Amino acid sequence: MILKLLAGNLTHGLLLGGVYGLATMGLSLIFGVMNVVNVGHGAFIMVGAFVALTMFTTLGISPVAAIPVALIIGMALGFFFFYTVMRRLIRAPELASLLATFAIGILLQEIAKLIFGADFWGYNWRVGKISLPITTIPMSKVYAFIGSILIALFLYFWFSKTRVGTAVRSVVEDSEGARVCGVNVGWIYALSFAIGIGLTVMSGVLLTMFIPVGINPYMGGAYTLKAFVIAVLGGLTSPYGAFFAGLIFGLIENGAYVFFAQIPGVAPFPLTVSLAFWMLFFLLLIKPTGLLGGK
Amino acid sequence: MVLLKLENITKRFGGLIAVNDVSLEIEHGELMAIVGPNGAGKTTLFNVINGVYPPDEGRVIFNERDITRLPAYRRAPLGIGRTFQIPRPFSSASVQENVAVGAMFGTLAGKVSVDGCLEIAERYTELVGLEAHKNKEAGSLTPVEKKMMEIARALAMKPKLLLMDEAMAGMHPKDIDEMVRFLKKIKKEENIAIVSMVEHIMRAVAGFANRVVVMHQGAKLIDAPTEQALSDPRVVEVYLGRP
Amino acid sequence: MKRTIPKYYPLIPVFAAYLIMFIIGFTMPGMWQMVALLAFYCALGQSWNIFMGMTGYVDFGYVTFIALGTYGMALGVQYFYQIEGLGIGIIFIGIFLALFLASLSAILEAAIALRLRGAYFAIACIGINEGLRYFIEGAKIWGGSEGIIFSGALTEAVGREVANQLTTFWADFAVFIIAALAAFLNVHYMRSKIGYALTAVREDEDAAKVMGINTFKYKTIAFLTSGLLGGLVGAMAWGLKLTHVFPGDVFVIHYTVECIVVVLLGGAGTLLGPVVGGLIYGLSKYWLAVILPGFQLLIFAPIIIAIIVAFPGGIIGLVKQRIKGTPLERYIV
């Protein structure tokens, strides 16, 4: 009985893990290219969530269509913040970009609060379910998972097969070397930042298929923490590592929930949320640079 | 008693052997030059002596004490000082404060008050000719001035061994002569062993060092008194290739 | 010894500011609450600045110290109020527990996070407040999500009158003392070996190590000091003053944001900066609460971005540039 519950939960966890992984790929990309940790990461996920919400409830458009919209909005935000803020901080001390991305996150939260209020929102996208022996999975989650895999695959091909993608990889390796080879490093920075943000906002859309009523301007914080755990697990500079680490994290998170629910006298849900923190704690204790890729 | 002894130091970075089985002995108060083209392994050797990273093989023995695995910050109080090829000032602090850092954490650590360190710093700042700039932000100095400040800072540590990394690179020949005179004066007054690392400035080497070590591709090629080393045909080969 | 006194001159404008604030609050009717709020932000700013200003590291999880301090006070009163004859001593137990919890957290965090560089340090710290909050709620310790309400316990321990005085006056007064203490420690560190070591760490950590500086030790000293002060602020301004603590209230990143605003606005790494920042932010929050409640972060977030990009030295940074070479230099640090 427990095993069936566990297996069911693990399946859900794997699906969610795909979305987590996608969200973290954006973080890894930005860090790999620009050496900037986007501390406001969660706020962009929140933006994606609200994009999906708004499009569904006011325009009646399915979240699948919201994905490309989210990408465009994300990239627009990325370019905007890069050219107004981040570009000027390339030569500044590290803490400047940390504080800046943090402040940008706060700004987005407050604007969202202004527009949507501080309450929790949700929407219901009914597209049926799949019944498996171990559990029933809403199709929306399946779509989200497929979506995240497709996007990750697309990214893989883009990085390895296109000229621009290769240029980005070269900048990750050695920005000075790339510059000498004629790569317009400044533009690559802008593009990578924009794509990274775009990925993050898109993952916010996909995430809403898992959290029916959890959309709120301040929802980002928990996801920033999770993204960091996943990034440390998978290597802060390796987007593929981040994706796989996301899957692992999703599994651990959901599996742990079942485990915690068996312990008397504890509240399993908050305990599971705190799990991410403990994972980070132990990960940093043993290997700060991640298990794959490392600087 | 030998001041510094390097025994079979080997250091690899991935597949590249940066320092290849180098053994060396430096006496108290010795003036030595380590010479070699780019990539010969000189900076790596300095870094191993300093403790920036440990060697893969071999031992570093300073004053009869095995310091091979000792963290970098514990070597300064023992008496190992260092200047960097590209000066690394603490830019927002003043020149005097920069030099005072040397006094505070070098061999005098724990023995002198902050004010005492500032006084020592004042003396060394004057010694290198920067007294006019002593309250200026270190970041605003010219590159040559920064180099001099680095030297003052390292000297304020009252080291027994001073590792100077390309201290004379980019200097006018007249300045090099000045520097050589200055270093000799220092060595006499403070009895420091000075190991200078130079890429190819023979003028600096000839006037300054008693002994020259030539490195090539990570290994020690020649280790001899200056005149002998500089007239060795292999030195020419190392820099210009076989004729 | 003769040289030491001038070292502390920069404290004069700071203490003067606190004194003026206190006098205004104490003598003018109805002003105490506002002055207490300003003192709160100044104290927070000074405490946070000791670590961030001197090392250049950002502890995004700083609110954890304040929260743990609050819990320390709550636990102290709640579990010891029945001891006969303890009376006001219970407050000191609360303070001790606050310091104990804060230092425990600081040491653990330092051991794990301070060995890491900039970006990894930021990552390590950012989740601490969330993690602890949900752990308290999940493991149902310390009252779980229902928190601890200890007003009753306090009244039982010291009597209604004393309890009232404590919560309406002495708690806020303590915040002034903490602010002054933080300012003193800030200057003391700046002028001592610790200050030199941390400047070196901030500018070039690797060169600092080669110069003989045990970077981890000095970072930890600053971190611990900053954390302990934060814990004291929590114990007084939240714990003693409100006599309750709920995990959802205290472990919120919101207050870390406010620390950042206060310090950056005034000038990170300066002594007077957090005071100026605290006053400006506190006043604007107080007044905005009347016209546009909840809007202060919306207004300050872009201001912070502007400061980071254009005026990283904050207000005091600008002032310092203007007064270079004048006798005022000794007082504005």
Side-chain angles (χ1 to χ4, degrees), chain A residues 135-193:
Chain A
T135 185
T136 320
I137 308 178
M139 278 308 287
S140 55
K141 291 194 186 183
V142 177
Y143 289 150
F145 182 67
I146 295 176
S148 55
I149 299 226
L150 284 177
I151 297 172
L153 276 176
F154 181 73
L155 215 70
Y156 173 74
F157 282 117
W158 186 76
F159 271 132
S160 38
K161 306 289 180 210
T162 68
R163 277 192 68 205
V164 188
T166 315
V168 172
R169 275 188 301 137
S170 71
V171 172
V172 174
E173 280 287 329
D174 180 353
S175 60
E176 276 313 302
R179 196 190 304 269
V180 166
C181 289
V183 172
N184 182 347
V185 177
W187 162 243
I188 296 293
Y189 280 170
L191 187 64
S192 308
F193 191 75

Side-chain angles (χ1 to χ4, degrees), chain B residues 75-80 99-114 116-121 123-124 152-160 190, chain C residues 193 211-212:
Chain B
R75 302 196 191 195
L78 293 178
I80 303 181
V99 179
V101 169
M104 259 180 239
F105 299 101
T107 52
L108 300 172
K111 301 186 190 131
V112 187
S113 68
V114 170
C117 290
L118 286 167
E119 272 175 38
I120 295 177
R123 264 192 279 135
Y124 281 106
R153 187 171 69 183
L155 288 175
M157 289 167 75
K158 296 273 197 194
K160 302 205 180 77
E190 319 246 351
Chain C
K193 220 167 137 170
M211 292 292 130

